[in-house]
């Protein structure tokens, strides 16, 4: 791919992730000639201001991708399935931030710090993993590389921004209604398409997306399957429980990991993660230093703390992983993929 003067398109430009992609492209001086902002017909004509420049949103149609080099998609799986191949047909490389293509065996699923090498296998579409998967594998990659990993058990505590701007608005509205609990209006969570909806304000909902026949939710299955694909290890044991919390931005994860090597110390684990790109170890119990979503918001890194050895399992360790789900979990990872394409 040419390394400068690239024509870029952002599909879903008015959404939370779309606007963050624009901000990151500008902030990181990505070599663009033009940026085309695309969304639905009802959003056409909307003006977005970033980096001191104004961008007018256009309706997404197949012809939108003429002369586009890289197209970022973040408008939902249905839109990606409708337009991604149209973009590729016109010469664009698609970086898709939805679940539409993640488990397609012919489409690379990429976290650049973990498996950038698979980018050479792309045939026009590259998938950006689930936000919760990204931060976990980024933190665990140095452990897998150095010690090997046989098992992962993760419980996530996910922010409402992962369900979109409307979910943030619903949280704010419900917070004001909380004194009259009987009349709290719940319309979106745990899933807009679910039969029942529950308030998220002052609550924890142990369901993200719909359940399948196994009893796991689709969000949990995404984490389990995507982790194996990214790590290239179908034999790895991965189990997830995903919970929605009344936090605006920043996903948290309690992770139990079993290494393949025996006798590894907490200090060796910390050292491996401290040397990993994009990972910050924040772990000092004596000063109550550990990651929290409130303080990870707006930051690019993945934060790891509460690292401790399991008292019964010699190869087992527990840790707490936090990251901004709109940045490393979505927009930033997408832009980093594009940067890898330009550098290759």
């Amino acid at each position: 791919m040419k390394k400068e003067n690239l024509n870029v398109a952002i599909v879903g430009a008015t959404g939370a992730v779309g606007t963050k992609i624009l901000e990151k492209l500008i902030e990181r001086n990505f070599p663009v000639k033009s940026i085309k902002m695309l969304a639905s017909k009802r959003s056409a004509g909307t003006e977005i201001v970033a980096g001191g420049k104004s961008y007018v949103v256009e309706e997404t149609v197949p012809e939108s991708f003429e002369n586009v080099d890289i197209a970022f998609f973040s408008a939902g799986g249905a839109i990606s399935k409708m337009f991604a191949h149209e973009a590729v047909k016109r010469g664009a490389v698609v970086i898709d931030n939805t679940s539409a293509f993640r488990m397609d065996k012919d489409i690379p699923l990429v976290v650049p710090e973990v498996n950038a090498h698979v980018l050479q296998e792309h045939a026009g579409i590259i998938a950006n993993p689930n936000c919760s998967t990204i931060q976990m594998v980024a933190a665990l990659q140095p452990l897998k590389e150095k010690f090997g990993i046989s098992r992962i058990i993760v419980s996530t505590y996910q922010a409402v921004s992962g369900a979109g701007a409307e979910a943030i608005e619903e949280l704010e509205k419900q917070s004001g209604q909380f004194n009259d609990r009987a009349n709290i209006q719940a319309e979106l969570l745990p899933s807009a398409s679910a039969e029942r909806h529950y308030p998220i304000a002052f609550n924890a909902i142990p369901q993200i997306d719909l359940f399948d026949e196994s009893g796991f939710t689709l969000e949990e299955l995404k984490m389990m399957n995507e982790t194996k694909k990214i790590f290239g290890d179908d034999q790895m044991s991965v189990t997830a429980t995903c919970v929605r919390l009344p936090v605006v931005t920043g996903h948290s994860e309690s992770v139990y990991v079993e290494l393949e090597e025996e006798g590894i110390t907490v200090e060796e684990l910390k050292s491996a993660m401290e040397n990993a790109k994009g990972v910050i170890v924040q772990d000092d119990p004596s000063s109550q230093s550990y990651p929290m979503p409130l303080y990870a918001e707006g930051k690019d890194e993945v934060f790891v703390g509460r690292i401790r050895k399991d008292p019964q399992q010699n190869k087992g360790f527990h840790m707490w992983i936090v990251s901004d789900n709109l940045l490393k979990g979505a927009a930033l990872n997408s832009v980093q993929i594009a940067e890898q394409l330009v550098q290759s």
Side-chain angles (χ1 to χ4, degrees):
M1 176 174 284
K2 60 183 181 181
K3 303 184 186 306
E4 57 184 19
N5 298 324
L6 297 170
N7 295 315
V8 172
I10 302 174
V11 181
T14 58
V17 174
T19 56
K20 292 291 185 184
I21 289 173
L22 175 61
E23 291 172 9
K24 285 298 169 184
L25 289 171
I26 296 169
E27 176 189 313
R28 296 170 71 90
N29 296 312
F30 191 77
V32 300
K33 178 181 179 181
S34 67
I35 302 177
K36 184 180 292 187
M37 306 295 279
L38 302 173
S40 65
K41 184 175 183 179
R42 69 176 180 275
S43 295
T46 302
E47 187 175 311
I48 297 174
V49 178
K53 187 175 179 181
S54 177
Y55 301 84
V56 178
V57 176
E58 303 173 28
E59 180 185 358
T60 308
V61 294
E63 292 72 27
S64 301
F65 303 100
E66 296 290 346
N67 300 315
V68 169
D69 299 299
I70 297 178
F72 296 94
F73 275 68
S74 187
I79 297 299
S80 292
K81 289 178 180 178
M82 186 181 303
F83 291 109
H85 290 289
E86 293 290 343
V88 172
K89 189 164 62 177
R90 289 165 172 79
V93 175
V94 168
I95 300 173
D96 185 58
N97 198 52
T98 76
S99 61
F101 306 108
R102 288 175 185 159
M103 295 312 298
D104 188 316
K105 64 181 179 62
D106 297 320
I107 292 178
L109 182 66
V110 180
V111 179
E113 298 92 336
V114 179
N115 64 337
H117 63 279
V118 301
L119 283 171
Q120 61 191 354
E121 303 169 5
H122 87 80
I125 299 176
I126 300 159
N128 196 69
N130 180 276
C131 46
S132 300
T133 306
I134 290 174
Q135 68 185 65
M136 184 177 75
V137 299
L140 296 185
Q141 168 62 14
L143 307 185
K144 181 180 182 296
E145 187 175 324
K146 194 164 186 178
F147 312 116
I149 293 174
S150 60
R151 188 180 191 190
I152 300 168
I153 302 174
V154 55
S155 295
T156 71
Y157 307 90
Q158 296 180 219
V160 294
S161 56
E166 290 182 347
I168 298 174
E169 293 172 5
E170 183 161 278
L171 169 60
E172 293 171 345
K173 184 177 179 180
Q174 289 174 356
S175 297
Q177 298 170 336
F178 193 69
N179 288 335
D180 186 13
R181 297 187 195 187
N183 292 315
I184 290 180
Q185 299 172 8
E187 299 175 356
L188 293 173
L189 299 174
S191 172
S193 57
E195 292 183 9
R196 301 180 66 182
H197 299 106
Y198 299 106
I200 187 60
F202 305 96
N203 196 18
I205 303 176
Q207 177 189 351
I208 299 178
D209 212 326
L210 302 177
F211 290 99
D212 90 333
E213 61 275 6
S214 69
F216 286 92
T217 66
L218 299 183
E219 181 81 359
E220 292 159 354
L221 293 172
K222 287 176 193 174
M223 286 200 74
M224 294 154 65
N225 295 328
E226 290 175 21
T227 298
K228 293 180 182 182
K229 181 176 179 179
I230 294 166
F231 279 153
D233 186 353
D234 287 337
Q235 301 308 308
M236 181 183 289
S237 174
V238 186
T239 309
T241 301
C242 295
V243 181
R244 187 78 71 188
L245 292 189
V247 172
V248 174
T249 301
H251 289 351
S252 303
E253 299 172 345
S254 173
V255 177
Y256 169 78
V257 57
E258 281 184 17
L259 306 180
E260 292 179 350
E261 283 193 33
E262 290 189 10
I264 305 304
T265 66
V266 168
E267 289 68 29
E268 288 176 299
L269 243 70
K270 287 185 180 180
S271 177
M273 287 188 284
E274 284 171 343
N275 292 321
K277 185 178 179 181
V279 176
I280 293 178
V281 175
Q282 186 180 3
D283 189 8
D284 183 7
S286 66
S287 63
Q288 295 178 255
S289 178
Y290 36 71
M292 289 179 278
L294 183 65
Y295 303 106
E297 185 174 353
K299 295 182 172 65
D300 290 345
E301 296 83 5
V302 175
F303 297 86
V304 187
R306 298 295 319 281
I307 303 166
R308 58 214 188 272
K309 195 161 190 171
D310 188 273
Q312 280 81 43
Q313 173 52 257
N314 185 46
K315 298 180 183 179
F317 293 83
H318 300 266
M319 63 193 70
W320 179 250
I321 301 172
V322 176
S323 190
D324 186 318
N325 55 294
L326 299 180
L327 294 180
K328 184 54 185 168
L332 174 63
N333 199 73
S334 296
V335 172
Q336 287 176 314
I337 291 171
E339 290 171 342
Q340 287 286 329
L341 291 174
V342 171
Q343 292 166 13
S344 60

